[in-house]
Amino acid sequence: MTETPSIRDEIIGVVTHVAEPVSETPAVARRRRIVVVAVIVVGAALLSFSLSRKPGDPSFYWLTFGLAAVWAGGALLSGPLRYGSVPWQGRRRRPVLTGTLIGLAVGGAFVVGGLVARQIPPVAEFITRVLEFAHQGSLPLIVVITLVNGVAEEMFFRGAVYPALGKYHPVIVSTVVYAIATSAGGNPMLGFAAVILGGVCALERRATGGVLAPVLTHLVWGLIMVLALPPVFGL
């Protein structure tokens, strides 16, 4: 009689699972790499320009929607995107709960970190500069922008950049690339957040073989950052 795995064993299996890489033709791999390089340059430049706007400036909204279009368009142009799955109770399932719970955990950790960071004036100042875009602008529109860009970033960085790297340490390299592109705005706190979030999402990409879990994690994390973090800094 086969013993049914415990919930604890199932969770460990999900966390430690490494999805089998999908083999792509040389033509697809080459196209991914060309598209990835071009889109990163354009996206980083557009991100830097959008964050140079003053909080509340209407152009910020259009620029960030344009940035989302660049990331998503680059992802679709690079090649096939996959949702991914996780093993659970003997079946392959979409990682909806996985991505959501990890997003809550990462978002909660950032809020706790914010409580500490607000006691360090230089760090608090960098964080406040980013949060002012949510505080001084239209909150509903900022929420939409956060969600749209979260999906687009994961489509590109975990859906296009990650597989374009092949066997060249995709978890580490895709995270570094994401952090560098995000740091183009000139705020070191964005780069720091990108390392943490990007690393978690890259590990999810490795575990599930697709972008669904990273997308959900990014969406939940983004909502927490927009709605819960500003009050921590008195905004």
Side-chain angles (χ1 to χ4, degrees), residues 4-14 88-89:
T4 302
S6 66
I7 296 296
R8 174 178 173 275
D9 291 338
E10 293 278 7
I11 293 174
I12 292 175
V14 169
W88 186 263
Q89 296 182 342

Side-chain angles (χ1 to χ4, degrees), residues 43-89:
L46 189 54
L47 174 61
S48 177
F49 186 63
S50 65
L51 289 177
S52 70
R53 307 296 89 192
K54 293 181 179 180
D57 188 329
S59 65
F60 171 77
Y61 304 128
W62 298 111
L63 286 168
T64 48
F65 277 125
L67 179 60
V70 169
W71 295 139
L76 295 173
L77 186 62
S78 74
L81 298 177
R82 299 171 180 85
Y83 288 108
S85 61
V86 291
W88 186 263
Q89 296 182 342

Side-chain angles (χ1 to χ4, degrees), residues 8 18 22 28 66 73 84 109 176-177 192:
R8 174 178 173 275
V18 176
V22 176
V28 172
V176 171
V177 170
F192 173 78

Side-chain angles (χ1 to χ4, degrees), residues 30-49:
R30 184 167 54 253
R31 182 177 69 184
R32 279 200 192 277
R33 289 164 186 161
I34 293 172
V35 170
V36 159
V37 171
V39 172
I40 286 175
V41 173
V42 174
L46 189 54
L47 174 61
S48 177
F49 186 63

